[in-house]
Amino acid sequence: MKITRRSLLASAPVAAGIIAAGLPRFAFAQAAAVKFRYLASRGSISPHELADELGYYKDLGVELENVGYATGGPESLFALSSGSVDLGSAATAAVINSISGGNDFVAAYPSNGINKDVKSVFYVLADSPIKSIADIAGKTISVNTLGAHLDYTVREALHSVGLPPDAANLVVVPGPQLEQTLRSHQVDIAGLGYWQATFAGALVANGGVRGVFNDTDVLGELAGGFVVLRRDFIAANPAAARHFVEQSARAADWSRQNPDEARKVLASILDKRGENGDLARYWTGFGLREGAQATDRDIDFWVSVLERDGRLTKGKLKAADILYRRGETKTN
């Protein structure tokens, strides 16, 4: 079955209406709750996790289940492809690569955005001789995972100064260890993603570091990554998928309007997970547009980069093939 934006939005109210006609709202939720299994990211949350904590899914037939942690987006997409989870979350370039490779995924909504306030920063020690992007050639840079946002940001940064995309050496370091590896000189540069603002805030607060460049400098303002659903999952659960996206966007808007309260909720979530809730004070938000809206550029920017680098066949994919936009005609 081909899922279109029109069918996704139109079939959901019909299906919900048929059930609701014979059942009270609470009974519908109990009888038809759809479970969304997902992997969390250490030190941060996604809008759907915030929506769940705020009770936005109550009586809407949506149930979230955290089944562990992902080291990064590629692992999340692999779990989604294998059926181990029901939603993934990854950098846009990784999502495009996954779809190009044959996975029938839909980019449901942007998980985060980068702008002047929310960004990924590449830090060095204060006395480092590294002063600019040109200086990172031959240096070792820590990132949370390969093949995702920080990896592609480094590639684009190097390209912007005429250097080969593989001129720097990237190594994988988990978020909680980023500061330690930088201060102990195990790496020259520590890349902290926009989703790792809690770790970045602690790093800066401890002093002795400075940023060399950030992803907004290199890429401009755009979505940093997307929450992804399988197309067959949407077909089987149209109403739940619609509610999931709508309430995630609602939570993202709430967090922008109530940043202090949002940090308190994040602190509570981190504490429940056994993480350090105190780090929530450094959280900078999701960086999303109103309504968690996506634009064609969010996708097409990375399509053009992947085409330029020979990683994607020219003309194979475009934003309209990937994005789910509420209220528009089709997703594919």
Side-chain angles (χ1 to χ4, degrees):
M1 176 181 178
K2 184 175 181 180
I3 302 301
T4 67
R5 294 188 188 108
R6 186 179 299 279
S7 67
L8 178 60
L9 291 171
S11 62
V14 172
I18 291 172
I19 297 172
L23 290 173
R25 183 175 172 86
F26 76 88
F28 162 69
Q30 288 180 340
V34 176
K35 186 171 291 186
F36 289 70
R37 297 166 298 162
Y38 71 96
L39 295 170
S41 178
R42 294 190 186 278
S44 67
I45 56 170
S46 294
H48 51 266
E49 293 176 276
L50 178 60
D52 192 42
E53 191 73 10
L54 293 173
Y56 287 176
Y57 297 128
K58 181 177 172 57
D59 297 339
L60 290 178
V62 173
E63 179 184 346
L64 264 59
E65 180 183 359
N66 181 350
V67 295
Y69 287 98
T71 57
E75 181 183 354
S76 175
L77 294 179
F78 180 80
L80 179 63
S81 177
S82 69
S84 299
V85 298
D86 304 303
L87 67 94
S89 182
T92 310
V95 171
I96 295 169
N97 278 331
S98 187
I99 293 173
S100 175
N103 286 305
D104 203 8
F105 293 162
V106 176
Y109 76 88
S111 54
N112 291 81
I114 58 172
N115 54 37
K116 64 181 180 62
D117 299 315
V118 180
K119 61 191 72 174
S120 308
V121 182
F122 292 81
Y123 290 98
V124 297
L125 296 177
D127 60 357
S128 170
I130 301 170
K131 306 290 185 183
S132 67
I133 291 173
D135 295 333
I136 73 175
K139 302 300 190 293
T140 300
I141 304 175
S142 62
V143 295
N144 68 303
T145 191
L146 299 178
H149 185 76
L150 297 179
D151 187 340
Y152 281 101
T153 297
V154 171
R155 292 173 180 271
E156 275 303 287
L158 290 164
H159 175 77
S160 73
V161 295
L163 291 170
D166 58 354
N169 176 37
L170 272 58
V171 297
V172 175
V173 176
Q177 279 78 58
L178 286 167
E179 179 169 0
Q180 174 190 348
T181 54
L182 177 63
R183 294 194 186 279
S184 61
H185 299 276
Q186 296 178 62
V187 297
D188 302 301
I189 305 162
L192 284 96
Y194 52 79
W195 62 96
Q196 297 172 314
T198 52
F199 299 135
L203 172 67
V204 172
N206 290 333
V209 299
R210 55 180 170 80
V212 177
F213 68 98
N214 64 67
D215 54 359
T216 306
D217 292 338
V218 175
L219 310 174
E221 296 192 6
L222 80 171
F226 281 85
V227 169
V228 180
L229 298 174
R230 293 192 312 274
R231 212 175 287 270
D232 61 350
F233 181 87
I234 295 173
N237 307 288
R242 178 172 61 88
H243 291 314
F244 170 77
V245 172
E246 289 177 348
Q247 298 308 316
S248 296
R250 178 186 173 195
D253 286 344
W254 178 85
S255 71
R256 187 177 58 256
Q257 297 157 3
N258 304 277
D260 292 336
E261 290 85 348
R263 291 186 186 95
K264 292 177 183 177
V265 176
L266 172 58
S268 173
I269 292 174
L270 293 179
D271 284 337
K272 288 177 185 177
R273 290 182 190 167
E275 299 183 57
N276 183 3
D278 288 342
L279 294 178
R281 58 183 163 156
Y282 300 120
W283 189 63
T284 53
F286 295 118
L288 294 173
R289 305 177 187 97
E290 184 176 355
Q293 290 295 323
T295 69
D296 283 357
R297 181 180 181 271
D298 291 333
I299 297 290
D300 288 339
F301 173 87
W302 288 111
V303 166
S304 66
V305 168
L306 294 171
E307 289 177 344
R308 181 197 72 206
D309 293 346
R311 295 169 177 265
L312 180 67
T313 303
K314 191 170 182 60
K316 181 176 182 178
L317 289 173
K318 57 185 181 300
D321 301 323
I322 296 171
L323 288 175
Y324 156 51
R325 285 183 178 145
R326 287 154 282 157
E328 289 195 7
T329 307
K330 59 183 180 179
T331 36
N332 207 352

